[in-house]
Amino acid sequence: MPEQTLLSPWVEGFPVRAAPVRMALVRDGGEGAAPAPVGDLPRWDLSDLYDGRDSDRLRTDLAQAASDAEAFSSAWRGRLAGASPAALAEAIAEYQRIDEILGRAASYAQLLFAGDSSDPAIGRFSQSINERLTEISTHLLFFTLELNRIGDDDLAARLADPQLAVWAPFLRDLRVFRPHQLSDEVEQVLHEKSVTGATAWCRLFDETMAALRIPLDGRDLTVGEALNRLSDPDRAVRERAAKAIGTVFGDNIRLFSLITNTLAKDKAISDSLRHYPRPGSYRNRSNMVEDEVVDALVQAVTTDYPRLSHRYYLMKAKWLGLEKLEHWDRNAPLPAADDRMIPWDEATRQVLSAYEGFDPRMGEIARRFFDRPWIDAVPSPGKASGAFAHPTVPSAHPYLLLNYHGRTRDVMTLAHELGHGVHQVLAAPQGYLMSGTPLTLAETASVFGEMLTFRALLDAETDPTRRRLMLAGKVEDMLNTVVRQIAFYRFETLVHDERRSGELLPERLGALWRQVQAESLGPAFTFAPEYDVYWTYVPHFVHSPFYVYAYAFGDCLVNALYGVFRSGHPDFQDKYMDMLRAGGTKRHRDLLAPFGLDAADPGFWRKGLDVIAGFIDELERA
């Protein structure tokens, strides 16, 4: 899953710290008791960060960071304008050192909370750490603000010095936010109040969702476990699960509507203060991509709804023997689908084989995650649903969270998150401030890892029926990654635009949700009334507004990139590894140029969408 802000690295539309969690796209599966056939699943060991909530090292780190932050403020506040290039480079290096200490503590608290957000003690610890980090980082807030007040010509002259030039990518990306920067006093107030503002509402959402139980067939299921029933082969089971989920979400709709309205209004206030032209503009700036590029992506996908999702789901309805599909049929397995459980060991072999087959260097990094306790795959109550990869800090290593149920989709999720992990390991030498990539590139390695795994499995399969089923499954995953996520983006856009004129009632939120779902899924579907509340469980809407288009961006980018690979492009593996190693030091245009690709080219998105359409063409011929 990649950017999740359990402890937000951003404050009200202005960057404060780096290393966001990479959130996985919602695949309608999650927590719950793991079936026995999947084997022994790994649990992570967070002691590489800290050995417990009462860790002496954690106390020492926080105390040292507080002291160092105060000293840093005393040494540099008001002095950056006249600092020499060498002195400025020294200051940035010290800022990064202190910031990484804070990032380590934040990562530990985030991972603990993700592992069990239903434990009040962990919730209290997470909030306490968040408050402490906010207090400490208040002493650092001046630094980026003062850096942005240095004139363009002045800074350009100083960057001619090699010592400062090392930090050019950091300064370049920071200055994207320069036109939206507020006074130091306002920035500090927004920073300090963030723990009782958006962050607190995010915590309320997480704890509420973790505590919900869905009564189904004599059991009380977690949300993730109930959502997993929407992929059951038995349509009656899917229908009962869908209605039970809808009932529970409906019972809590006022709370979820309040959270959504409050966060949307909070964002609108911030956007207005900072003069962002529209609700998604801050996200685009942080992704280092122009509004127009995102508009081109959204326009390309929505225009292609008929030849992609509409066409596929009409075929699926026929395969299932149904005149119309209900929302609980969207992820239904196809007739004759192999429903066998895939043990964890087999999933590990499949994914590692694909990674190693592409490049042994990438396979070696991927294997570390299995040889060491860096993965938590056991579904359990209170655990965050879905999956994510957390880079933590360069001085440590990434961690992966999964909820492994032994399905093919879970294998693809493993391949996806492992791609993030490999990317984060390769980029770590760039340092804490420059290793993180914009979301527009963050999904490249993850989606590419999925494609490698899928292609390896497809190429090894000789049975025509199984190949057709595998191809259909891949099409569904791609539609979930591209069409579904753009529909999510459209929903967010409509909600945030309308919220500026007043609070949205739950019924209006439901109507907007139904509108975008009907547009994206097409005439094959009818929607039962309970589906109007299904927007409530998507965590991206709460934690990371307008994050979701990054999945479509990444999928289309990878489709084009994979086409270059399959064409035999010279030195592709070396260029690909260099792209991942670059972290956040280069923009998408520079990173894609060695492959002959340009995301600003209107035809770029067509290349990616043509891959999906080609798979559907093949299914029609089968």
Side-chain angles (χ1 to χ4, degrees):
M1 248 180 169
E3 176 185 353
Q4 188 172 13
T5 49
L6 297 175
L7 294 174
S8 176
W10 308 98
V11 173
E12 304 294 345
F14 193 79
V16 176
R17 292 198 295 277
V21 185
R22 298 301 176 201
M23 296 179 71
L25 60 93
V26 175
R27 296 182 187 264
D28 297 336
E31 58 212 68
V38 300
D40 293 330
L41 297 175
R43 301 302 300 255
W44 59 29
D45 180 353
L46 301 181
S47 61
D48 287 347
L49 296 172
Y50 296 104
D51 58 13
R53 300 198 298 271
D54 297 324
S55 167
D56 290 336
R57 182 184 177 188
L58 176 57
R59 283 193 292 269
T60 300
D61 276 359
L62 291 175
Q64 187 64 54
S67 174
D68 291 347
E70 291 186 33
F72 183 82
S73 178
S74 297
W76 291 107
R77 186 186 292 270
R79 297 181 174 87
L80 297 183
S84 69
L88 201 56
E90 177 185 340
I92 296 174
E94 175 66 2
Y95 173 80
Q96 176 176 255
R97 185 190 67 79
I98 300 170
D99 219 18
E100 184 163 348
I101 297 173
L102 303 183
R104 178 181 286 266
S107 298
Y108 180 68
Q110 287 175 345
L111 292 172
L112 272 183
F113 189 76
D116 187 0
S117 57
S118 65
D119 185 332
I122 291 177
R124 179 179 183 276
F125 172 78
S126 177
Q127 179 66 14
S128 297
I129 291 294
N130 196 15
E131 292 176 3
R132 184 74 190 281
L133 297 181
T134 300
E135 175 188 339
I136 295 171
S137 59
T138 298
H139 297 291
L140 303 175
L141 185 62
F142 80 92
F143 187 64
T144 53
L145 301 176
E146 286 194 23
L147 283 176
N148 267 351
R149 284 201 290 269
I150 298 175
D152 290 338
D153 293 341
D154 184 0
L155 184 61
R158 296 192 219 187
L159 282 170
D161 187 293
Q163 294 181 76
L164 185 60
V166 171
W167 299 102
F170 164 68
L171 293 167
R172 174 203 65 199
D173 291 351
L174 183 66
R175 292 174 82 80
V176 168
F177 298 94
R178 192 181 184 206
H180 310 287
Q181 183 171 304
L182 305 175
S183 70
D184 289 11
E185 293 78 11
V186 174
E187 293 286 1
Q188 181 165 334
V189 169
L190 292 175
H191 181 58
E192 292 180 354
K193 283 185 66 62
S194 64
V195 294
T196 57
T199 301
W201 288 98
C202 290
R203 177 186 173 189
L204 175 61
F205 171 85
D206 289 336
E207 293 186 356
T208 301
M209 194 60 69
L212 290 181
R213 292 297 178 266
I214 314 294
L216 182 63
D217 296 339
R219 293 182 56 197
D220 285 336
L221 306 183
T222 61
V223 170
E225 191 175 16
L227 289 169
N228 205 44
R229 298 293 195 274
L230 299 180
S231 299
D232 196 278
D234 187 335
R235 193 175 193 229
V237 171
R238 298 196 304 271
E239 181 177 359
R240 289 198 301 273
K243 292 184 178 298
I245 293 168
T247 297
V248 173
F249 287 172
D251 290 344
N252 292 271
I253 193 63
R254 290 184 62 189
L255 174 59
F256 289 126
S257 297
L258 176 60
I259 292 172
T260 298
N261 274 289
T262 301
L263 288 173
K265 182 61 176 178
D266 182 80
K267 187 178 188 308
I269 293 171
S270 176
D271 287 348
S272 177
L273 289 172
R274 297 187 184 283
H275 303 293
Y276 283 117
R278 60 193 198 190
S281 293
Y282 163 69
R283 178 65 61 196
N284 297 341
R285 303 293 187 279
S286 65
N287 285 342
M288 307 303 157
V289 64
E290 300 78 13
D291 289 351
E292 295 73 22
V293 172
V294 178
D295 290 343
L297 166 64
V298 174
Q299 180 63 39
V301 174
T302 54
T303 299
D304 261 7
Y305 282 167
R307 78 167 182 143
L308 299 178
S309 49
H310 295 189
R311 185 161 58 117
Y312 174 78
Y313 288 118
L314 285 170
M315 285 195 299
K316 183 168 186 175
K318 292 180 181 178
W319 294 335
L320 294 176
L322 300 171
E323 291 187 10
K324 285 284 189 177
L325 298 176
E326 295 285 353
H327 71 90
W328 56 78
D329 297 315
R330 185 174 56 83
N331 283 331
L334 297 179
D338 184 357
D339 196 37
R340 72 181 182 92
M341 290 292 181
I342 302 172
W344 175 257
D345 289 346
E346 183 179 340
T348 299
R349 286 194 300 271
Q350 289 175 345
V351 174
L352 283 178
S353 175
Y355 274 63
E356 290 168 349
F358 172 73
D359 190 291
R361 295 169 295 179
M362 200 162 81
E364 185 277 325
I365 297 172
R367 190 170 290 277
R368 294 181 205 172
F369 286 82
F370 300 95
D371 292 342
R372 304 169 190 179
W374 296 0
I375 302 176
D376 195 307
V378 179
S380 57
K383 183 179 179 181
S385 62
F388 64 68
H390 195 316
T392 72
V393 290
S395 55
H397 57 78
Y399 284 95
L400 309 185
L401 180 144
L402 308 167
N403 286 276
Y404 190 80
H405 293 278
R407 307 293 187 185
T408 301
R409 183 168 289 153
D410 296 318
V411 179
M412 292 298 106
T413 299
L414 173 60
H416 181 104
E417 299 309 331
L418 194 60
H420 282 306
V422 169
H423 193 177
Q424 291 158 359
V425 169
L426 284 169
Q430 298 292 348
Y432 189 61
L433 294 179
M434 296 189 293
S435 58
T437 58
L439 297 182
T440 44
L441 294 168
E443 293 301 327
T444 303
S446 55
V447 179
F448 197 85
E450 278 194 75
M451 183 65 84
L452 287 174
T453 303
F454 169 73
R455 287 289 190 175
L457 295 174
L458 186 68
D459 292 345
E461 184 54 63
T462 58
D463 180 80
T465 299
R466 285 190 55 79
R467 283 181 60 85
R468 183 176 70 87
L469 291 169
M470 290 175 66
L471 196 59
K474 182 59 176 175
V475 167
E476 292 204 12
D477 282 343
M478 296 174 91
L479 293 178
N480 281 337
T481 305
V482 177
V483 170
R484 183 164 164 79
Q485 302 305 313
I486 291 301
F488 282 1
Y489 177 82
R490 289 271 300 123
F491 172 72
E492 286 188 280
T493 301
L494 293 170
V495 169
H496 282 262
D497 284 347
E498 196 164 315
R499 180 63 181 91
R500 293 185 172 190
S501 300
E503 187 168 293
L504 281 73
L505 293 174
E507 294 79 9
R508 181 57 181 162
L509 291 165
L512 293 176
W513 175 256
R514 189 171 61 254
Q515 173 187 330
V516 299
Q517 294 302 310
E519 291 171 350
S520 63
L521 296 177
F525 280 87
T526 58
F527 296 100
E530 77 275 351
Y531 193 57
D532 284 3
V533 299
Y534 268 64
W535 59 268
T536 57
Y537 80 95
V538 181
H540 306 66
F541 298 158
V542 174
H543 288 288
S544 308
F546 301 98
Y547 180 108
V548 289
Y549 76 77
Y551 298 119
F553 194 113
D555 196 271
C556 291
L557 186 155
V558 166
N559 287 341
L561 192 64
Y562 195 83
V564 173
F565 167 57
R566 298 278 283 195
S567 71
H569 185 84
D571 303 319
F572 183 92
Q573 282 87 339
D574 288 338
K575 293 176 181 178
Y576 180 77
M577 298 289 280
D578 286 343
M579 179 176 68
L580 300 190
R581 290 190 189 98
T585 61
K586 295 181 180 180
R587 298 279 179 85
H588 62 82
R589 188 184 297 271
D590 297 326
L591 288 172
L592 294 176
F595 305 99
L597 298 172
D598 182 3
D601 179 357
F604 176 80
W605 304 116
R606 173 64 59 174
K607 291 180 182 179
L609 297 174
D610 282 348
V611 172
I612 307 175
F615 284 164
I616 298 173
D617 291 343
E618 188 174 340
L619 284 170
E620 281 187 329
R621 293 191 298 267

